[in-house]
Amino acid sequence: MSQLKYSLPVSILKEGSCFIAYTPALDISTSSDTFEGAKERFGELVQIFFEELSEKGTTDKVLSELGWQKVERKWSPPVVVANSSQEFTIPAFA
């Protein structure tokens, strides 16, 4: 089986004592008690995600729905052009 290499944007968030790794390119996430663990588990998750797409024969459908573009039989993920924080004013919760 041939292999392709991709570079995906990954955000790692800390929620309490848990680290969450997330990519908008595949809309998937995983977690761990450590930063390194979240990175490792994320790599495993991406592998499983693509194996499942291949086994089910849904690669084209799913990647297209996620905004990937197919050019000359090769898929390209959407590109994150900015990642920032914005301030918002919201009603106070009781």
Side-chain angles (χ1 to χ4, degrees):
M1 177 192 309
S2 66
Q3 301 220 339
L4 300 171
K5 286 190 177 187
Y6 287 99
S7 179
L8 299 175
V10 180
S11 296
I12 299 184
L13 313 167
K14 188 162 192 230
E15 294 181 5
S17 63
C18 188
F19 291 86
I20 312 293
Y22 169 76
T23 182
L26 299 174
D27 196 24
I28 58 174
S29 63
T30 189
S31 65
S32 177
D33 293 338
T34 67
F35 179 85
E36 288 301 321
K39 285 175 51 178
E40 184 178 324
R41 291 183 73 177
F42 182 80
E44 294 167 356
L45 177 61
V46 169
Q47 186 72 32
I48 291 167
F49 181 87
F50 279 100
E51 287 172 2
E52 290 288 321
L53 290 183
S54 180
E55 286 176 18
K56 293 180 179 181
T58 58
T59 302
D60 288 358
K61 179 181 184 300
V62 171
L63 293 182
S64 179
E65 289 174 355
L66 288 168
W68 289 54
Q69 300 290 316
K70 193 172 191 178
V71 179
E72 297 180 14
R73 301 183 339 168
K74 183 178 180 203
W75 284 99
S76 296
V79 176
V80 173
V81 294
N83 194 5
S84 64
S85 296
Q86 289 183 250
E87 286 189 26
F88 296 94
T89 302
I90 59 172
F93 297 102

